[in-house]
Amino acid sequence: MASHYFKARKSFDFRPHPFAIGTIKGVPSGYEDNHFLLKIYSIKKVVFDDYYQYHLEYYLSVENRNEKEFFSHVWHIVSGRIDYFKAQDPFSSKHALHISNIKKLEEFLDFLAPLDKWNIRPNDMLIKEKDEEIARLRSEIEILRNKLVDLEKYEVSVKPMIQDEHLPTFIDLLQQMKNLSLPNGRKLLVSDHESPYYKMVSKYFVYNGKDIPVNTVRNYFVQKDPKDSMKGVKIPQEKKLFEIIPKNQG
């Protein structure tokens, strides 16, 4: 077992790293764990990960060390100190301080929990966590099942088929519909995006007996950039066979 898990402040270092443990005189031998825990009481939750990684990198800088041993050591000293504080006299003058320390240490354990890749934590904790995960997954499955049932309402057994190389013709009609205006001057169809149109065609129509790839239809709705002559697909004039004319103009 390694004799030093944590990076200590050098004696009389007046500009130590904020995560280095100890005082201006360093760390007395055998008190490294205490100073590691003391630092937890004074730092914010948002830097727990940085604090852990700082000391982990130091620990792993020595050959033949691994994170499992480091994590195990940190978990046990933190949980052990919580047990110690909980065992103290609740009527002690330091009771308020003990409660504060317990809260901070429990927050640190909450941070450590997702890092436990080796199931080092107590079995009852692991079982409770797994049960909660199972319950969460079951809830998600139920939500997804309900969504699937709802989506199946919109499935069709037989899709309308666009024939004789006239997919561009159909797209031309759809694009005309996009531009139609009502008698009051407002657009008949309003959408901030083109995707509903090309996704609808891809999902609910077939072309010459085959499903239509969404990107194939999408190319007809891409606004062609003059600087990019390859962008978008233009409908050939000979495929524009129909014209939608408002009734009052017919």
Side-chain angles (χ1 to χ4, degrees):
M1 179 179 291
S3 57
H4 298 287
Y5 286 88
F6 312 115
K7 189 171 184 178
R9 174 180 177 178
K10 293 180 180 179
S11 299
F12 301 103
D13 179 1
F14 294 99
R15 299 183 64 184
H17 190 284
F19 295 148
I21 64 171
T23 66
I24 194 171
K25 293 183 179 181
V27 179
S29 179
Y31 287 82
E32 293 88 354
D33 292 353
N34 286 340
H35 283 272
F36 179 80
L37 297 173
L38 283 172
K39 183 72 70 172
I40 293 176
Y41 307 143
S42 63
I43 62 177
K44 296 181 179 180
K45 288 193 294 183
V46 293
V47 298
F48 279 173
D49 184 59
D50 294 333
Y51 182 57
Y52 176 86
Q53 294 298 330
Y54 175 80
H55 289 286
L56 173 62
E57 289 177 11
Y58 165 75
Y59 179 76
L60 295 178
S61 65
V62 177
E63 192 175 357
N64 295 325
R65 292 180 176 180
N66 58 75
E67 185 179 356
K68 178 181 178 181
E69 184 178 336
F70 179 80
F71 178 91
S72 178
H73 182 77
V74 172
W75 178 270
H76 285 105
I77 66 171
V78 174
S79 58
R81 191 56 54 94
I82 291 174
D83 291 340
Y84 167 79
F85 284 132
K86 287 182 176 180
Q88 299 307 299
D89 183 359
F91 298 100
S92 165
S93 60
K94 294 184 177 181
H95 180 65
L97 177 61
H98 293 164
I99 295 299
S100 175
N101 290 346
I102 289 172
K103 182 176 182 297
K104 204 62 180 286
L105 292 174
E106 287 180 338
E107 290 175 346
F108 196 77
L109 286 187
D110 289 340
F111 153 73
L112 289 175
L115 304 181
D116 185 11
K117 299 177 287 186
W118 312 275
N119 292 336
I120 289 169
R121 292 168 296 155
N123 286 336
D124 59 338
M125 185 175 293
L126 294 173
I127 292 172
K128 179 182 177 183
E129 188 177 273
K130 297 300 181 185
D131 287 344
E132 291 174 349
E133 179 70 6
I134 290 171
R136 183 185 66 80
L137 290 174
R138 284 177 175 170
S139 177
E140 289 183 2
I141 290 171
E142 186 62 26
I143 291 172
L144 291 173
R145 182 181 289 112
N146 291 336
K147 285 184 177 180
L148 181 60
V149 170
D150 190 55
L151 288 173
E152 286 177 346
K153 298 176 184 176
Y154 302 97
E155 293 297 328
V156 293
S157 57
V158 180
K159 300 178 181 180
M161 183 167 63
I162 304 167
Q163 302 189 76
D164 301 330
E165 306 300 324
H166 283 298
L167 176 61
T169 303
F170 180 69
I171 299 298
D172 177 56
L173 287 169
L174 189 56
Q175 290 182 345
Q176 289 185 58
M177 291 177 64
K178 283 175 54 203
N179 296 320
L180 292 176
S181 295
L182 297 168
N184 61 9
R186 300 182 67 182
K187 288 284 188 180
L188 172 64
L189 300 174
V190 179
S191 175
D192 293 333
H193 304 282
E194 304 285 0
S195 59
Y197 299 107
Y198 61 75
K199 288 181 179 179
M200 175 186 68
V201 175
S202 177
K203 181 174 178 61
Y204 291 107
F205 294 84
V206 293
Y207 181 40
N208 289 333
K210 298 179 181 179
D211 289 334
I212 310 172
V214 67
N215 284 334
T216 297
V217 190
R218 178 182 176 276
N219 289 333
Y220 286 98
F221 290 88
V222 172
Q223 296 299 317
K224 198 169 185 178
D225 189 334
K227 297 179 181 178
D228 185 3
S229 61
M230 298 300 292
K231 191 173 184 180
V233 175
K234 187 176 181 180
I235 298 174
Q237 196 63 36
E238 65 270 18
K239 296 297 184 182
K240 297 182 178 182
L241 303 180
F242 308 99
E243 184 176 1
I244 300 176
I245 301 174
K247 188 174 182 180
N248 59 2
Q249 296 180 21

